[in-house]
Amino acid sequence: MSLPAFTLLRPGSLEEALGSLATHGPEAMIVAGGTDVVPNLRAGLFAPRVLVDIKGIPALRGISFDPKRGLHIGALTTITEVAESPVVRQHYPVLSEAAATVASPVLRNMGTLGGNLCLETRCLWYNQSYFWRKSCGFCLKKDGEVCHVAPGGKFCWAVWSGDTAPALLTLDAEVEISGPRGGRRLPLGEFYKNDGMDRIRLERDEILGGVFVPARTAGYAGSYWKFRVRQSIDYPLAGVAVAMKLTDGLCQDVRLGLTAVNPAPVLVREVGELLRGQRYSPELVEAAGKAVIRTGKPLKTSVSTPEYRREILQVYARRALTKLWTGN
Amino acid sequence: MRGHGTVNTRFAFESLLDTVADALGLDPAEMRLRNQLKPPCLTVNQLRVTSYGYPECIRQVVEKSGWKEKRGKLPFGKGVGIGGSHYVSGAANPIIRSRMPHTTVNLKVDRDGAVTLYTGASEIGQGSDTIQAQLVAEELGVNLNRVKLVAADTEVTPIDLGSYSSRVTFMAGNACLDAARNLKKKILAVVAEQWGVEPEVLQAREERICVSNGTGQSMSFDDAVVAAIERYGGLVASGSYAPPKEARGGKFKGAGVGPSPAYSYSAQVAEVSVDPETGAVTVERITAAHDCGRALNPVNVEGQVIGSVWMGLGQALQEEMIWNQGRLMNPSLLEYKSPSTLESPQVDAIIVESIDPEGPLGAKEAGEGSLAATIPAVANAIYDAVGVRITSLPITPEKILRALREKQKQQTQSNGGGR
């Protein structure tokens, strides 16, 4: 479980970093906080010849809010900074709630928002030591031919296990990507491919520079519910993020995002269709809970069973909606 | 692993006691109190019980936890449960078939008054170095800072059988007392000769050797050491401990495993909340009483009790090795879920001192005994909270939810299917 040999590059600017990525091509890998990359390197899941440490690029750090345009967060902003930011808390509470549940205080201090949005997908058969994977027989995602979650299939079901992505999805966030061909912006929903093997639309020579959240979702009430065995350290086993706009008890708009049950963080469109323009009723909330498990499809990717995670998705969806709608 | 062999059986036993109490309509704490030993006695399986604080442990946790006001009276989803346990203060029969003592220690005093204790006992975080040094200092009547330990270095330390079975305080502790008494005898003999008195009238206390006949004559420990070294050329002593024959158990098959020179006792009350929609358990508070004989170091005892409770909570609710075709599915500490600080409730540790006649200054074990009481206390509290009894560990939210559904189904059926 020791680190493999690699060359560490520490560019001081975005241009320099992009240059390094262009030079080393597929042999290079980006590292920021390192809280995801380093354990995976130790487990032998990645073997980059070059690690490009982008932490020394000040331009990629910081939070700014403009009431007319929206919120901008640099990719290198730490999860702690996001969780504790007064503007985030005031205007986009679902994001601060989600950020505050990531891992543990120490990991939040190291981990970055960009890193959290680019997390490697997770699976019981993938996040194991090299020795373990070899003894078991390698899996589709790494070195093997078989998916141990759904044997016979050729699809990788490793789950998206980030906390901030579902929250940002409910806020219509966009990601800013820099590359040798210039910059581009992508709705966060399109950034994820829903493929456990190849999770994000980020080329090997590109860098996720920041996140933009539009002004139109500022002020949405928000709540994030995370299921895990321990209330600290753990990745989510199922998670529900809700952002809602209410006027005198009338639901003007609502988005519900899921995490840790599919290969991508996903919005449950049906919930918006069901609840928009409605007033609270237990029946509506119950129906929304049912809709959630038509989108969220947990499989045997963790030691917690899919059946229980489906239960939890419904309960958490009902609780999140009820809390925002009725205040309790 | 701690408390091997006792923890899982204790979970079963104490869960069954709760079931019996429920069936008989008795308060489970009261039922336990009605079925106590009357020491000194031999149990049915030939264990010799010399000191017994179990009834006091039960009374204390019942009182401090608010048991009588809470049991069966809290709203659905909240409950209290009681569990008990006992444990050996070391195995009376050595795992090594030999007649040598279970522990030997050597003491050496230098001319500057520094006391060095050579002990084979291993400090593994439980505080045994402190306890051994305390016992030597106490017996010699000197300050703790005079005592230096050289521990578990097989090149220079004599044999101790090991840090297991919660044996070190009792066995190495008794050996330390024995060595200190032997050493003191040598010192007092020299002082008695100088003063022309019998050694029996001399006492070692507060860094001095004094006469207890009221004349007020005294000498500093330093001067006494110098005099003793001038007399003997060197000042050393050994001490050892082996459990008495009467403590070693019966003659029937298997009787050799389990006997101990003394037994500790624990009782705990757990207070929990159970979320009936998710099955999630929150442990709100644990009240834990432990009979450790005399508490040689109360802070250390409390630490051991709290640590045991914490470990018990992990086994009760979260920790599990999951196997699939012979392969451990959760071999890392990320996926093997020991509790974090956020799952660690308030623990009120209560010390009960039964004073054992053979323990070092009356002490018994405080290491593993508390662990086994936590798990059934939590399980019984869950039963009190939501009326389902889970008989396998860990008690996961999923198991509780399944049991709740099952119970609901049965109730619906017995009501003729109507609501």
Side-chain angles (χ1 to χ4, degrees):
Chain A
M1 295 290 274
S2 55
L3 279 174
F6 53 80
T7 302
L8 184 69
L9 300 179
R10 311 192 75 176
S13 70
L14 187 58
E15 293 67 34
E16 200 185 327
L18 289 171
S20 302
L21 292 176
T23 309
H24 298 284
E27 294 191 310
M29 186 169 216
I30 299 170
V31 63
T35 56
D36 191 35
V37 168
V38 174
N40 287 344
L41 282 171
R42 286 186 188 279
L45 299 176
F46 312 142
R49 220 173 44 77
V50 176
L51 266 190
V52 181
D53 174 4
I54 60 172
K55 271 202 304 291
I57 307 175
L60 298 186
R61 192 161 183 161
I63 300 173
S64 61
F65 179 66
D66 176 343
K68 291 208 182 67
R69 298 188 58 231
L71 177 75
H72 184 269
I73 307 179
L76 292 177
T77 311
T78 67
I79 305 286
T80 300
E81 286 163 348
V82 174
E84 292 178 357
S85 156
V87 288
V88 175
R89 200 173 289 167
Q90 187 188 342
H91 302 290
Y92 305 96
V94 67
L95 178 57
S96 30
E97 271 198 24
T101 70
V102 173
S104 65
V106 174
L107 293 166
R108 289 197 290 274
N109 289 343
M110 287 299 290
T112 63
L113 183 65
N116 200 246
L117 294 178
C118 295
L119 274 185
E120 173 62 315
T121 50
R122 297 187 65 80
C123 180
L124 195 50
W125 276 269
Y126 174 66
N127 296 101
Q128 300 282 3
S129 65
Y130 178 82
F131 173 81
W132 191 100
R133 288 183 289 115
K134 191 179 168 197
S135 83
C136 176
F138 294 112
C139 80
L140 196 60
K141 186 165 162 69
K142 178 69 182 160
D143 304 329
E145 304 290 324
V146 197
C147 171
H148 297 296
V149 174
K154 279 290 167 199
F155 187 78
C156 172
W157 294 99
V159 277
W160 174 261
S161 300
D163 293 301
T164 55
L168 285 165
L169 277 181
T170 67
L171 298 172
D172 282 350
E174 296 176 359
V175 285
E176 297 167 345
I177 294 166
S178 302
R181 297 162 296 279
R184 63 190 171 109
R185 245 189 205 186
L186 202 61
L188 186 62
E190 290 174 28
F191 184 59
Y192 297 107
K193 295 182 173 177
N194 202 35
D195 178 351
M197 203 106 107
D198 184 14
R199 65 203 192 287
I200 48 175
R201 289 201 165 77
L202 187 72
E203 300 302 326
R204 293 302 289 246
D205 55 3
E206 292 180 322
I207 292 176
L208 171 69
V211 179
F212 173 75
V213 190
R216 66 175 178 279
T217 55
Y220 275 42
S223 189
Y224 180 68
W225 292 66
K226 174 175 179 172
F227 168 57
R228 48 182 161 177
V229 177
R230 288 179 288 214
Q231 296 311 302
S232 185
I233 306 166
D234 290 358
Y235 284 95
L237 293 165
V240 176
V242 177
M244 193 186 238
K245 188 181 180 186
L246 276 174
T247 314
D248 300 328
L250 192 73
C251 172
Q252 303 282 359
D253 191 15
V254 63
R255 325 282 169 79
L256 188 147
L258 303 180
T259 189
V261 284
N262 294 23
V266 281
L267 279 182
V268 185
R269 306 264 171 217
E270 228 184 311
V271 168
E273 291 153 19
L274 272 169
L275 307 186
R276 229 169 275 136
Q278 303 284 343
R279 288 185 183 280
Y280 170 82
S281 79
E283 292 73 25
L284 270 179
V285 166
E286 178 80 26
K290 292 254 165 16
V292 158
I293 54 164
R294 284 192 283 272
T295 299
K297 300 280 183 197
L299 294 170
K300 285 186 176 175
T301 52
S302 75
V303 291
S304 187
T305 66
E307 295 76 25
Y308 185 69
R309 284 152 73 208
R310 265 200 299 277
E311 289 279 351
I312 283 291
L313 279 182
Q314 294 181 73
V315 175
Y316 281 10
R318 290 200 300 264
R319 288 186 180 177
L321 288 167
T322 305
K323 183 184 163 202
L324 295 180
W325 222 340
T326 69
N328 52 55
Chain B
M1 185 183 69
R2 295 158 86 211
H4 62 287
T6 71
V7 182
N8 295 9
T9 44
R10 195 41 49 187
F11 165 54
F13 191 94
E14 297 288 318
S15 294
L16 285 168
L17 279 185
D18 219 51
T19 309
V20 170
D22 201 41
L24 296 176
L26 292 172
D27 176 331
E30 178 58 31
M31 191 183 76
R32 283 171 174 81
L33 280 174
R34 285 192 206 170
N35 289 279
Q36 298 286 313
L37 297 174
K38 295 198 167 44
C41 64
L42 273 185
T43 65
V44 68
N45 56 339
Q46 304 285 296
L47 304 182
R48 187 195 60 149
V49 180
T50 48
S51 61
Y52 190 63
Y54 189 39
E56 184 60 17
C57 286
I58 295 176
R59 278 192 284 272
Q60 291 262 3
V61 293
V62 161
E63 192 198 316
K64 302 263 165 65
S65 66
W67 172 260
K68 294 214 165 99
E69 298 77 51
K70 288 175 180 165
R71 189 189 73 92
K73 294 172 187 159
L74 296 173
F76 183 75
K78 291 190 182 298
V80 289
I82 192 165
S85 67
H86 57 169
Y87 203 68
V88 296
S89 303
N93 298 300
I95 47 170
I96 300 155
R97 297 287 171 215
S98 154
R99 272 188 248 166
M100 73 178 183
H102 291 216
T103 300
T104 299
V105 302
N106 293 335
L107 271 180
K108 176 193 77 168
V109 185
D110 289 318
R111 205 169 182 279
D112 63 0
V115 180
T116 308
L117 171 67
Y118 295 89
T119 172
S122 316
E123 168 74 52
I124 52 170
Q126 83 279 41
S128 69
D129 278 1
T130 305
I131 297 298
Q132 292 174 86
Q134 268 187 269
L135 283 165
V136 167
E138 181 72 22
E139 188 58 33
L140 294 180
V142 299
N143 292 337
L144 188 58
N145 60 11
R146 272 190 194 270
V147 185
K148 179 189 163 186
L149 253 89
V150 176
D153 176 351
T154 52
E155 193 164 272
V156 289
T157 58
I159 292 177
D160 173 82
L161 292 188
S163 289
Y164 65 91
S165 295
S166 293
R167 57 176 292 286
V168 176
T169 292
F170 200 96
M171 299 196 180
N174 267 326
C176 287
L177 277 186
D178 187 35
R181 279 172 190 149
N182 291 337
L183 189 90
K184 188 166 76 174
K185 204 179 278 174
K186 287 185 167 179
I187 298 173
L188 296 189
V190 173
V191 177
E193 201 178 277
Q194 275 194 14
W195 291 346
V197 297
E198 291 301 312
E200 289 71 35
V201 303
L202 296 182
Q203 279 187 339
R205 55 186 299 178
E206 291 167 15
E207 296 261 309
R208 299 192 80 75
I209 311 297
C210 0
V211 184
S212 58
N213 63 4
T215 60
Q217 193 172 12
S218 79
M219 180 192 286
S220 73
F221 181 77
D222 288 318
D223 290 344
V225 163
V226 169
I229 287 176
E230 279 167 6
R231 168 70 181 275
Y232 302 116
L235 194 47
V236 293
S238 289
S240 65
Y241 177 80
K245 213 169 172 9
E246 316 80 71
R248 295 183 188 177
K251 295 281 176 236
F252 58 90
K253 190 172 173 137
V257 180
S260 173
Y263 305 88
S264 74
Y265 296 89
S266 295
Q268 293 179 24
V269 169
E271 187 170 345
V272 305
S273 300
V274 181
D275 182 333
E277 243 186 341
T278 63
V281 176
T282 308
V283 179
E284 309 286 353
R285 187 180 157 196
I286 301 273
T287 310
H290 186 82
D291 163 25
C292 62
R294 191 189 302 281
L296 299 180
N297 187 321
V299 173
N300 194 345
V301 172
E302 285 177 8
Q304 287 289 301
V305 171
I306 293 167
S308 293
V309 167
W310 182 84
M311 185 175 178
L313 289 175
Q315 184 173 354
L317 298 172
Q318 297 173 204
E319 292 176 32
E320 185 176 21
M321 294 171 91
I322 298 162
W323 300 90
N324 181 22
Q325 299 183 323
R327 192 168 292 108
L328 183 59
M329 297 305 285
N330 55 340
S332 76
L333 287 172
L334 178 61
E335 300 301 339
Y336 179 88
K337 308 288 186 183
S338 292
S340 76
T341 48
L342 296 179
E343 285 79 51
S344 306
Q346 177 183 337
V347 180
D348 296 314
I350 300 162
I351 296 172
V352 171
E353 296 187 299
S354 63
I355 315 298
D356 188 78
E358 293 173 18
L361 307 182
K364 301 190 285 189
E365 78 87 33
E368 296 168 90
S370 288
L371 168 62
T374 309
I375 299 161
V378 169
N380 293 340
I382 290 169
Y383 180 77
D384 189 47
V386 290
V388 297
R389 185 165 291 288
I390 310 299
T391 54
S392 68
L393 298 175
I395 304 174
T396 59
E398 188 165 4
K399 287 180 189 169
I400 293 175
L401 200 58
R402 208 182 301 136
L404 281 169
R405 294 259 162 89
E406 190 57 35
K407 193 184 167 200
Q408 205 173 22
K409 210 164 84 188
Q410 282 169 4
Q411 280 172 348
T412 316
Q413 278 164 358
S414 66
N415 291 342
R419 281 211 162 200

